[in-house]
Amino acid sequence: MRIRDFLVQHRRISKNEAIILIATGRVSVNGAKASQKHYVLETDRVECDADLLQEPVVYRYYAFHKPRGVECTLNPEIENNLLELLPFPGNFFPIGRLDKASEGLLLITNNGNLYQQIALSEKSVEKEYQVQTEKVLSDSDLHLLATGVIILGNKKTRPAKVARISANEFNIVLTQGLNRQIRRMVHTLGNHVTNLKRLRISRVKLLDLGAGEFRELQLEEI
């Protein structure tokens, strides 16, 4: 919000009084005198005279290995919720979801803007998964998964990168996030997913994190 409106809200003063405070150099943002055109972000430190009006929020980003059997929710009333496993203080939350039966990489952050950049399917962020199925997969099965199949009634999945690992195991890279997409895709083949693990989101990899473990992201990953 504009610095004038910020002052009105935090100092409980009129707009004219806020304008005067700014014009007389009594308001600073990150140590520099504020101008009337300044917009305040949650990462800014704002001071007026000797008063600290806002401490800057420090964004943190973590890679977390969600175990199987854990619900991807912060609702404490739901059994086996994600909140029980996250040791971070403050308002941290996951970017995107993994269903209860799946495991693997979740991004955990206190930066709400990141959701718009990663979680929404139309953003085309790559997500890589390792998938094991109940039955053997034919080459034609893998070709169908790569070129797209119809799920959810009338939605054709986008082309994907698919690579065989073994007779009933493959890697797949998706650029969309439809509800239980991989499980539904495999179901169209008359097969069933027995194990699903997310290995990568964009350039962030799960690496050697064990179930329930986490690490802070490096600068190049952020």
Side-chain angles (χ1 to χ4, degrees):
M1 68 174 66
R2 290 185 61 178
I3 185 66
R4 179 199 64 193
D5 300 325
F6 178 91
L7 292 171
V8 168
Q9 184 179 103
H10 286 75
R11 292 296 293 266
R12 298 185 182 281
I13 58 178
S14 69
K15 289 184 178 181
N16 286 338
E17 289 173 316
I19 290 170
I20 292 172
L21 286 176
I22 299 167
T24 54
R26 295 165 60 187
V27 182
S28 66
V29 178
N30 300 325
K33 289 183 180 180
S35 70
Q36 301 288 350
K37 296 180 179 180
H38 200 103
Y39 277 79
V40 178
L41 305 176
E42 60 181 357
T43 51
D44 290 331
R45 179 184 179 91
V46 184
E47 297 174 277
C48 181
D49 296 330
D51 296 332
L52 176 63
L53 302 184
Q54 176 177 283
E55 190 75 51
V57 172
V58 178
Y59 290 143
R60 298 287 185 185
Y61 308 86
Y62 297 90
F64 175 71
H65 185 159
K66 186 194 87 68
R68 294 183 68 176
V70 173
E71 293 278 6
C72 198
T73 177
L74 300 179
N75 186 343
E77 297 182 1
I78 295 179
E79 189 177 3
N80 296 322
N81 65 79
L82 193 60
L83 193 62
E84 296 173 358
L85 297 179
L86 299 183
F88 318 123
N91 188 29
F92 282 84
F93 53 88
I95 300 298
R97 297 178 60 85
L98 276 174
D99 64 61
K100 185 176 181 179
S102 300
E103 65 173 304
L105 179 63
L106 275 179
L107 298 182
I108 308 293
T109 184
N110 58 345
N111 182 356
N113 295 324
L114 194 64
Y115 181 85
Q116 299 297 327
Q117 300 173 37
I118 291 181
L120 299 182
S121 62
E122 62 264 25
K123 296 297 181 181
S124 298
V125 174
E126 284 193 348
K127 301 179 183 72
E128 182 178 355
Y129 301 82
Q130 183 176 321
V131 186
Q132 188 174 50
T133 60
E134 186 176 58
K135 303 175 185 176
V136 171
L137 293 154
S138 67
D139 290 342
S140 61
D141 287 337
L142 297 183
H143 177 74
L144 283 171
L145 294 175
T147 55
V149 295
I150 303 297
I151 63 173
L152 296 169
N154 60 357
K155 292 185 179 180
K156 185 173 182 179
T157 59
R158 292 177 186 166
K161 300 174 186 176
V162 178
R164 182 186 294 280
I165 299 175
S166 66
N168 67 330
E169 195 171 6
F170 65 95
N171 269 29
I172 185 169
V173 178
L174 302 179
T175 57
Q176 63 187 142
L178 301 176
N179 180 253
R180 297 172 64 86
Q181 179 171 342
I182 294 174
R183 295 181 186 277
R184 294 178 189 277
M185 291 172 70
V186 171
H187 182 72
T188 65
L189 306 176
N191 209 330
H192 175 70
V193 171
T194 56
N195 191 52
L196 192 154
K197 179 190 286 189
R198 184 154 63 199
L199 305 177
R200 176 172 64 88
I201 299 174
S202 187
R203 297 172 68 181
V204 180
K205 297 180 180 179
L206 183 64
L207 299 178
D208 58 354
L209 285 178
E213 294 181 343
F214 66 92
R215 63 179 176 84
E216 192 159 8
L217 298 190
Q218 300 297 312
L219 181 61
E220 60 269 21
E221 292 177 304
I222 298 170

